[in-house]
Amino acid sequence: MQRDATMPLETSLSQMLSSSDFGNFFGISQEVQDLVWRNLTEKEGNSVAYISMEIGADPDVYSPLAKKLRDLQVTESSQSNIQGFLKKIFYGPGKIPNYSGGLGILAGDTLKSFADCHLPVVAVSLLYRHGYFSQIVDSQLGQLSQRVDWNPEDTPGLYLLRDPQQPEKPLHIEVPFLNEYDQETVATAQVWMKIEVSEALDFFIPELLLDFFLPETPALIRNAAKQLYDSESSMVKALQRRMLGTGILPVLQALGITSRTFHLNEQHGVVVAMQLIAEELYRTLKANDLACATNAQILTAASTVAQRIVYTIHTPVKAGHDRFDKSLYAGISHKSCQRILDLLARDDDNPHTYNFTNFAMQVNRSANSVSRLHRDVTHKQFPQFADKITAITNGVHHLTWISDARAAVFDTIPELQGWRQDPGVFKTVAQLKNNQEFRSALLDAWRKDTHILFDFVNTMLRQHRSQMTQTWIDPPNYYSSLIDHITKLNPDIFTIGFARRFSTYKRADLIFHDIDKLADIFVSNNWPVNFFFAGKAHPADEPGKTVIRLILGHQEELHKKSKGLANLIFIPNYDMAIAKMLVAGVHAWLNSPKRPLEASGTSGMKAAMNGVPNISIMDGWWAEGHHNGETGWKFGHEGNVSIENLSESREELLYKEDSNSFYNLLPSVLEDFYRDRTHSAFLDKGIMNLCRNIPIFNTHRMAAEYLKKYDLQLPAEIKTKMQSFAQLYSSDS
Ligand SMILES: *Cc1c(COP(=O)(O)O)cnc(C)c1O
């Protein structure tokens, strides 16, 4: 889609139009449209369906199409159909609030890499009319959640699929359910498709989002579909899982997609395995009722289906594993399904519940954990499956998370040529460690990103100050009560970032455990410091919300005890755009979970991609990314992990031990930072992050490792490229 100089703009825009049986699309050529559908609908089923409860891929953070249009200096078109698409891209909402955190963003990053690598993959998820939730923060009350209303209709890259038989109507799929009166019913969904387009606009991954919020869908189900991880009741939770799991086969069938392999991103969609087992039984027994199937026949069918499933387990934390009361589940599924669950979803701890993790563990060809340490923990949690659980360490999509300023530097370095296509290119960057030109360009880019972040934060603080007088919300920043219209936080001051979901095991408040000790470090050396914190707690997670209140409560105390040297700022409503600004703009990225509960963690990888060093507990990815201190700092408890370490009770979260370890480390970090104006020790670590961590913690490499678990035939050229990515790292050693 390179525009040659002689080609009129309108012609090159027309080449971005394409259509299929399901509608008209903008951003990819007809050739690409046809290629993707040919791959997904071919007879042998040579493709993968990637199943996730959430997908995080906000267009305001990454949109190759918008970038292309800006490069072409397109702002409008005389063709009205194209003009409609352009309007959405330039003026539509930049956010798709269908994610809550790490799991969803990992899914989005993974799908972007699949697109860049031209892999035949389709994704299936749900569309939530009220998204996750929007966070308001009050200094006294803490987190308040507000419903998000968004219009999929206006969102760029999102299309409501049409019924090929009646193109004026949306495509509807029907999913069998039981209703609240135990009667058989169907839930109807329409299908939105997000086009996750490759960087070069020469491939895409269709993300099919099932939207059950329709008048014809029974109220119980319709209401359960509104909000991601709505935890009003375990019924709502079970219904959401069931909508995803049982929606998969009908939607693929309606689109003619033949995927043989299913990748479960966590066990949320595992109900699809139950359906595949039922289908297999119908096929082999030639029966229309499964009542006649014996247990042995069910187990045989399950082992056939297992060959089609790749499963990623994401957390050792209990709340991440779905368990449902058998009696509750009986209310939403048919008897034959219950027989399958009775055999395969046993819960060793409780005979009255189904354990969906156990189900997913049994029915797969490959079970993968998300880091090496997580693999070791998972082996201990599930000793009966230890033989088959391997590690595929998570990654992030480098093109999404590397800031514009850093990317502009990489573009000018001959040694880094091709970095957009191949993150392995960064392996050689250590050679440039003493190249003064490179160092100063990198430092300038870092400063640029820091200024962008500080402009954002200073504007926010001034808004908080006026909020104080204009609304009933007490602004979430003590600091904003101290400033006037000229005071600002200073970007030359050492700034630590921390942002993630507020769950108690993530211990956001760890470093404030002993504020006297912390403040003394600053006062006795006269070192000023900023702490920028952000993150949402699940609205039903009271302990998580308490941690947010604790953080807010520490703001004044820290400021006063440090004699104004240390300021702790909270940025409300964490999302991908804030994440990107933070990871690129701070001087160090902090992670302080209780080892080994983090499993992987990905925000630290985003910082590493920008050459920002981490200060972290040796948990999750950091145990692999720390490289004996070449890339950052470690603190806290290490040593072997055992089942006992998985406790999440407050007394066993090691606050005292790990915070002390942080206080012992911090002075040397600050000394490094303030030693010279060019922050050379930080820049050294930054360059080593580019060199050692970009080649490992990117989703191209991760996709290549997963590809080995899929059963796919690929053209030689793609195979060779994927092999080269796979060779960047071996997660499971
Ligand atoms: C990356 C990211 C996360 C996940 O971060 P972790 O370090 O894995 O906890 C959560 N939310 C947003 C908005 C992110 O960008």
Side-chain angles (χ1 to χ4, degrees), residues 99-103 105 396 401 499-501 506 574-577 579-580 589 591 598 600-604 606:
Y99 65 90
S100 77
L103 186 80
I105 291 158
V396 296
W401 294 106
R500 47 191 53 83
R501 260 185 326 110
K506 300 216 181 210
Y574 185 43
D575 68 3
M576 288 180 70
K580 186 164 177 178
W589 192 249
N591 196 11
E598 179 72 328
S600 166
T602 50
S603 59
K606 300 169 191 167

Side-chain angles (χ1 to χ4, degrees), residues 235 324-332 352-354:
M235 178 57 113
F324 296 111
D325 224 47
K326 285 186 177 174
S327 58
L328 178 150
Y329 217 79
I332 57 171
H352 304 296
T353 59
Y354 290 131

Side-chain angles (χ1 to χ4, degrees), residues 413-434:
I413 309 289
E415 286 85 344
L416 295 181
Q417 218 191 356
W419 68 270
R420 288 174 193 270
Q421 290 76 39
D422 178 4
V425 161
F426 286 94
K427 274 199 283 197
T428 59
V429 80
Q431 295 163 15
L432 300 170
K433 219 172 154 182
N434 298 317

Side-chain angles (χ1 to χ4, degrees), residues 436 596 611:
Q436 288 313 315

